[in-house]
Amino acid sequence: MKVIHLISGGDSGGAKTHVHMLLQNLSRTIEVTMVCFMEGPFSQEARELGIPTVVLPGRNIFRVYSQLKRMILEGGYDLIHCHGARGNMMGALLRRATGLPVVSTVHSDYRLDYLGRPLSRITYGVVNTLSLRRLDYRIGVSDAMTDLLISRGFDPDRLFTIYNGLDFTPRVPALSRAEYWKSVGLNADESSVVVGIAARLNPVKDIATLVRGFALAHAACPQLRLLIAGDGEQMPMLKELSDHLGVSGAVCFAGWVTDTDSFYNALDVNTLTSLSETFPYALTEGARAGLPTVASRVGGVPYLIDHGVNGFLFQPGDAEALSRHLITLARDKALREHMGRRLYEKGRSQFSLESTLDRQLDIYRAILRRKARKAGRRDGALVCGAYGRGNAGDDAILEAIVRELRQLDPDLPVWVLSRNPDSTRLTYRVNSIYTFHIPRFLWRMGKTRLYINGGGSLMQDATSRRSLWFYLFTISAAKLLGNRVMMYGCGIGPIHYPSNRRLAAGVLQKRVDAITLRDTHSRNELEQMGVTAPEIILSADPTVILPAAESATVDGILESAGLDPAGRYIGFTLRPWPGFAEKAALFGQAADYVYEKYGLTPVFLPIERRLDVGAAQLAARGMKAPHYILEETGSSSHTIGLFARMQVVVSMRLHALVFSAGQGVPLVGVVYDPKISSFLSYIGQDLYTDLDHLTLEGLKTHLDAAVGRIGDEAFLSGGVERLRNVEQRNRDTAGRLLGLEGGGAI
């Protein structure tokens, strides 16, 4: 593999560090050449690092373009990689002339790159914006940057994410803490708690908020000291501000720092107060030093800093919140040590230099694979379901299907019909069409290979006849427009109206190639409807493959909701349904019973926030036991992690049962739909009752039995392991319909 990198050569800060470190290490594996458009410290340092570097100076764009074009064509390069405005402009010009794929690493928000420089903004800024749109692929230097590009209309299928990796090999600082304090003039001793930041002193970094927050914290904790490393136009203003706030004796401006190892070793708390960021090296450098971090919630920061777990987050510009977090850390040495250790472990495992290099090579391979992919033929899959409506169960189904499609073919273009396409694009990094934009749906169906009717209970008329008709229409249209059609880990029924049963049976019989089912009840429904033509396979709900979030992350979620991570809880997931209001008080009484008898604190966990929170509030009226009603549970992994912390789960929602069963939690089901009892029977669970027949005594009996199963791993995990094994049939079937090797015969 031979890659040419184009960059202006005047870069500094994180972009310079990223490019130098990346190319220095990539050159040991592949052939790389860096082209700069000016001579200076950037190119000189690159040569010193052993990076093959060429400088093509001059303001004659066309002459430089001709030189580059000849160099690339004669040099036998495979790929052009751009950085920054001038690199992107040249990449856009060379893309068609060379026939090579062109990718750009977006190091920062291109709309903010020339903040405070209006002339540069309307020249370089506009050129950069136009050039970025003309390139083949873009790489965001954090998930947040990739999300930003998606929100601005860039194709998710042509975006990648990489992080500014750091070498986590143990470092030995040149100076001790005391020696470093003395070298920069910080008035500190061993009783001091030193807060620090390394950043350019410009408006985007908002160091003024740090000084104000520090002053508030210092009034409560006089042992605090602030060490600011960096230089910039705001230095005089910041010094004046610290004087004005009366903390100049506790604040040290160290200027530009080259010995970063000694700097971070001299700190107790790392900070970052930026108004905008991608993923700054200051975070990973602090993580390598094992420092708890207090940072503004911007850009890619929340992907490293888990609030309450390995640091604290605050809204940009909120000096009071910053001060509260500094006070908390200043007063608790053990907390500083615990958070710092957690941050080090996360940084080492996920944001190391090795992971960055592997990721960059993976990106190059993916781009070259896609170049070799046959152009012009039908390609990709479209997934249709009840997505984008705020239901955690449906969202988890989509996540699982997309995950399995990516396993089959990491380069497969995936489209999704969604009620909230903007959110779906951001969350799953797929292209998305508004559910009822029929012309766009039909146009896309003329280009894809596979249509997936995706999971859940879509084939039913209990909640809506129109939704059934809509899904049957999409199936028919997809087939008539040349797609293979699959129903993926789905449930069938109930379909009550005879006319709807005849319509559904006719469409499924004629237009569907394969149906994978999540339970035996659905298979029986198809048999009764006379559907025999498609390949029918008993599988499982796709969400059984999804993992729970890491334990430390779930700890932080619980703490932020006011719950003790070490507490013992019983989870309730309820939903409105005809007859629920008359039974709601029984759930509250049962929750009181379990708290009094077994010491389990009730927690109400929503699957569909819009509906379930209100149902929980109704059930909790008149409760005596302390209890918690969570407003939301977050991502699929967070939701599963929360259910994993419950000792017992009582649920009307299918996916609360699926998530809990997958984590070995004893279950009590309340059946409002046959899918609940069918799932529980399928995994060998027997504690369930119909909503219509629910009584307090019956619920207590089931709860006693469920509590008795706590810790019975053999009983609780056996059925779910079988589900995980048969769930693979979903993916295998999709693979065969796509004509991929991963979809073998079942």
Side-chain angles (χ1 to χ4, degrees), residues 48-346:
E48 292 169 4
L49 292 170
I51 300 169
T53 303
V54 176
V55 176
L56 297 178
R59 296 184 177 275
N60 189 326
I61 293 174
F62 298 104
R63 183 169 64 85
V64 173
Y65 161 76
S66 297
Q67 290 176 308
L68 263 177
K69 177 182 174 183
R70 184 170 61 252
M71 179 180 173
I72 291 169
L73 293 176
E74 293 176 357
Y77 289 93
D78 301 298
L79 195 148
I80 300 171
H81 191 156
C82 311
H83 306 264
R86 292 191 67 180
N88 292 337
M89 179 186 68
M90 279 298 173
L93 294 172
L94 291 163
R95 175 172 167 263
R96 182 168 295 180
T98 63
L100 297 183
V102 183
V103 61
S104 172
T105 295
V106 184
H107 295 273
S108 57
D109 184 349
Y110 54 89
R111 293 182 180 175
L112 300 178
D113 281 346
Y114 301 100
L115 196 65
R117 299 160 60 190
L119 182 59
S120 295
R121 190 172 186 178
I122 61 174
T123 53
Y124 294 119
V126 170
V127 168
N128 190 30
T129 299
L130 295 174
S131 298
L132 271 174
R133 297 281 177 181
R134 293 182 59 81
L135 305 183
D136 297 297
Y137 299 95
R138 287 139 291 261
I139 304 170
V141 292
S142 72
D143 283 283
M145 176 54 67
T146 302
D147 288 345
L148 179 68
L149 294 172
I150 292 172
S151 72
R152 291 180 181 170
F154 288 91
D155 185 346
D157 275 334
R158 292 181 170 270
L159 290 170
F160 301 95
T161 300
I162 199 168
Y163 276 87
N164 295 331
L166 200 65
D167 184 358
F168 271 74
T169 303
R171 323 278 281 199
V172 178
L175 301 175
S176 68
R177 284 164 59 88
E179 289 170 339
Y180 191 80
W181 296 337
K182 183 178 180 180
S183 72
V184 295
L186 178 66
N187 177 25
D189 56 36
E190 287 306 316
S191 66
S192 301
V193 176
V194 181
V195 176
I197 188 170
R200 299 188 308 276
L201 307 188
N202 67 19
V204 174
K205 299 300 181 180
D206 195 21
I207 310 297
T209 288
L210 176 58
V211 175
R212 284 191 287 268
F214 173 80
L216 292 171
H218 185 266
C221 300
Q223 74 273 30
L224 280 169
R225 299 291 183 269
L226 178 58
L227 180 55
I228 299 173
D231 205 349
E233 65 269 28
Q234 288 198 319
M235 174 81 81
M237 180 273 288
L238 294 170
K239 287 184 174 180
E240 183 179 340
L241 179 62
S242 60
D243 277 338
H244 175 72
L245 296 173
V247 291
S248 57
V251 178
C252 174
F253 290 87
W256 191 259
V257 168
T258 56
D259 183 4
T260 57
D261 293 332
S262 294
F263 170 76
Y264 285 105
N265 182 60
L267 304 183
D268 296 289
V269 179
N270 190 28
T271 62
L272 183 133
T273 52
S274 301
L275 301 175
S276 172
E277 280 290 358
T278 51
F279 192 79
Y281 273 102
L283 284 182
T284 45
E285 288 178 325
R288 181 174 62 188
L291 296 172
T293 300
V294 181
S296 50
R297 192 187 296 271
V298 294
V301 173
Y303 288 92
L304 176 60
I305 307 302
D306 300 304
H307 182 72
V309 178
N310 51 31
F312 292 110
L313 298 172
F314 63 94
Q315 291 304 313
D318 190 344
E320 291 186 2
L322 169 60
S323 71
R324 290 194 297 271
H325 298 321
L326 293 180
I327 291 169
T328 298
L329 290 170
R331 290 174 172 171
D332 194 335
K333 182 179 180 180
L335 180 63
R336 296 198 301 270
E337 292 174 350
H338 293 161
M339 284 188 164
R341 185 166 59 249
R342 291 171 186 160
L343 186 56
Y344 172 81
E345 293 298 335
K346 183 174 182 179

Side-chain angles (χ1 to χ4, degrees), residues 541 543-544 653-663 667 679 720:
D541 191 290
T543 61
V544 300
R653 289 280 191 184
L654 173 64
H655 282 98
L657 296 170
V658 176
F659 297 158
S660 304
Q663 301 302 311
L667 307 174
F679 168 73
V720 175

Side-chain angles (χ1 to χ4, degrees), residues 327-611:
I327 291 169
T328 298
L329 290 170
R331 290 174 172 171
D332 194 335
K333 182 179 180 180
L335 180 63
R336 296 198 301 270
E337 292 174 350
H338 293 161
M339 284 188 164
R341 185 166 59 249
R342 291 171 186 160
L343 186 56
Y344 172 81
E345 293 298 335
K346 183 174 182 179
R348 185 182 66 171
S349 64
Q350 299 182 29
F351 301 97
S352 67
L353 176 60
E354 290 77 10
S355 62
T356 297
L357 293 173
D358 289 343
R359 177 60 178 155
Q360 186 64 76
L361 289 171
D362 285 344
I363 291 170
Y364 288 158
R365 294 185 190 107
I367 291 172
L368 295 177
R369 279 198 314 269
R370 294 179 187 187
K371 181 188 177 187
R373 204 174 179 107
K374 292 180 181 178
R377 67 184 178 96
R378 299 179 72 110
D379 200 7
L382 183 140
V383 186
C384 174
Y387 308 131
R389 300 172 61 183
N391 183 297
D394 291 327
D395 292 343
I397 289 172
L398 177 58
E399 181 178 343
I401 293 174
V402 170
R403 180 183 292 227
E404 294 197 309
L405 290 175
R406 297 289 191 221
Q407 289 172 352
L408 285 167
D409 181 355
D411 305 317
L412 182 75
V414 177
W415 292 75
V416 175
L417 289 190
S418 170
R419 295 290 286 272
N420 189 343
D422 290 341
S423 175
T424 298
R425 274 191 291 269
L426 285 170
T427 304
Y428 305 104
R429 306 279 173 84
V430 295
N431 281 297
S432 186
I433 300 170
Y434 179 60
T435 301
F436 302 117
H437 197 317
I438 302 302
R440 284 199 67 197
F441 164 72
L442 295 175
W443 182 83
R444 178 51 50 188
M445 286 291 88
K447 296 179 176 296
T448 52
R449 281 191 285 159
L450 177 65
Y451 169 88
I452 291 177
N453 185 259
S457 300
L458 304 181
M459 293 295 114
Q460 53 84 24
D461 62 5
T463 57
S464 169
R465 285 187 287 175
R466 286 179 298 177
S467 68
L468 174 66
W469 301 337
F470 173 76
Y471 292 125
L472 293 174
F473 160 73
T474 61
I475 287 172
S476 296
K479 188 64 176 177
L480 291 171
L481 288 169
N483 288 268
R484 307 300 299 276
V485 175
M486 176 183 175
M487 298 173 67
Y488 200 110
C490 62
I492 305 294
I495 304 177
H496 296 295
Y497 293 87
S499 59
N500 285 342
R501 290 181 71 83
R502 289 192 298 271
L503 176 64
V507 171
L508 302 189
Q509 184 78 351
K510 294 179 182 178
R511 307 300 188 197
V512 178
D513 295 287
I515 304 174
T516 57
L517 300 169
R518 68 185 182 190
D519 54 54
T520 54
H521 170 81
S522 297
R523 184 172 59 184
N524 295 336
E525 277 286 284
L526 287 178
E527 289 175 357
Q528 293 173 17
M529 291 166 62
V531 177
T532 57
E535 184 179 12
I536 298 173
I537 302 157
L538 188 60
S539 179
D541 191 290
T543 61
V544 300
I545 70 166
L546 297 177
E550 294 182 358
S551 180
T553 300
V554 181
D555 285 348
I557 296 170
L558 290 168
E559 287 174 350
S560 64
L563 284 79
D564 180 359
R568 300 179 74 247
Y569 303 106
I570 178 170
F572 287 84
T573 299
L574 310 174
R575 63 158 299 163
W577 193 257
F580 170 76
E582 292 77 15
K583 303 286 186 177
L586 299 181
F587 292 102
Q589 294 166 20
D592 283 339
Y593 167 75
V594 174
Y595 177 76
E596 293 168 6
K597 186 171 182 179
Y598 300 108
L600 301 181
T601 302
V603 180
F604 293 86
L605 301 160
I607 289 292
E608 187 167 353
R609 175 184 179 183
R610 181 174 54 90
L611 300 174

